[in-house]
Amino acid sequence: MKKEKKEKPSKPLELPSIEQLEAELGREKYRWRFRRVLRSTIYALVTVAAAAVLVATLWMPVLQISGNSMAPTLIDGEIVISLKGSGNYQPGDIVAFYYDNKILVKRVIAGPGDWVDIDEKGTVFVNEQELYEPYLSEKALGDCNITLPYQVPESKVFVMGDHRSVSLDSRNTALGCVSYDQIVGELLFRVWPHTGMGPL
């Protein structure tokens, strides 16, 4: 005859105290608030990033300078901000434009209908007036194969780099004058390096 096993008496079920319930409720509320704040922060960051990309693409393209054709004004590796769509470019303005699947940066020298002449020393004349160019560290005739004096065609601008001896620009028929349709924008501000940060 089998002996019946005595079952051990079970411990009474311990219910959490009010303090424990309140602490757990507080933790759950904190986790819920944290998730809500995190979600809204991520949404805000995505929105700001999308707006920044839109502004940078449509109105204020950010460009990195490549090469030294604009030295000493702009050096290879510097980062600048340009403004799209002014369309009213004056001598001395620095513009970025598309050429052969690249973006080049040069300085506007003359506009549509203007006559450009350059002497052997590299002094530039626009409509028979010597152009004031304080941004140059040297003058040079450079790589010039156009017939001077040269009249700028309609809807185009005549551009030159500040490093006149090495710059390929409107002085050469390989590049020529730049049409308004090619222009990305006017360079306004240098953002990198931080030591050179400021308007152009």
Side-chain angles (χ1 to χ4, degrees), residues 118 140-148 158 167 169-173:
I118 309 168
L141 181 58
D143 190 2
C144 181
N145 67 2
I146 59 173
T147 302
L148 297 169
F158 191 98
S167 176
D169 46 45
S170 296
R171 294 171 292 175
N172 193 292
T173 53

Side-chain angles (χ1 to χ4, degrees), residues 109-110 114-120 122-133 139 148-150 160:
I109 299 300
D114 288 338
W115 285 90
V116 177
D117 201 2
I118 309 168
D119 67 17
E120 290 183 3
T123 302
V124 178
F125 299 85
V126 177
N127 299 325
E128 300 183 347
Q129 297 291 316
E130 183 178 342
L131 192 63
Y132 176 60
E133 299 189 283
K139 291 184 179 183
L148 297 169
Y150 175 88
M160 294 171 70

Side-chain angles (χ1 to χ4, degrees), residues 2 8 52 67 76 86 105 115 122 127 134 146 150 159 178 186:
K2 286 185 178 178
K8 292 181 180 177
D76 184 51
S86 77
V105 173
W115 285 90
N127 299 325
I146 59 173
Y150 175 88
V159 297
V178 177
E186 179 186 350

Side-chain angles (χ1 to χ4, degrees), residues 25-156:
L25 184 62
R27 281 193 291 273
E28 281 301 317
K29 282 183 179 177
Y30 173 79
R31 278 195 283 267
W32 181 79
R33 276 197 308 267
F34 178 78
R35 281 195 292 267
R36 189 178 63 179
V37 169
L38 182 63
R39 193 166 39 245
S40 64
T41 302
I42 289 170
Y43 290 156
L45 288 174
V46 168
T47 304
V48 168
V53 168
L54 192 64
V55 167
T57 305
L58 297 179
W59 295 292
M60 300 183 75
V62 177
L63 307 169
Q64 184 170 23
I65 302 301
S66 177
N68 289 308
S69 70
M70 280 299 292
T73 308
L74 295 168
I75 307 298
D76 184 51
E78 291 185 336
I79 297 174
V80 295
I81 293 175
S82 61
L83 179 65
K84 267 193 172 183
S86 77
N88 184 26
Y89 304 110
Q90 301 298 318
D93 291 345
I94 302 173
V95 294
F97 57 92
Y98 292 108
Y99 171 74
D100 196 23
N101 293 323
K102 293 182 287 188
I103 294 180
L104 302 183
V105 173
K106 306 289 178 188
R107 192 179 293 274
V108 174
I109 299 300
D114 288 338
W115 285 90
V116 177
D117 201 2
I118 309 168
D119 67 17
E120 290 183 3
K121 293 179 180 177
T123 302
V124 178
F125 299 85
V126 177
N127 299 325
E128 300 183 347
Q129 297 291 316
E130 183 178 342
L131 192 63
Y132 176 60
E133 299 189 283
Y135 39 79
L136 294 183
S137 61
E138 54 145 8
K139 291 184 179 183
L141 181 58
D143 190 2
C144 181
N145 67 2
I146 59 173
T147 302
L148 297 169
Y150 175 88
Q151 188 173 29
V152 183
E154 283 301 312
S155 302
K156 294 192 175 186

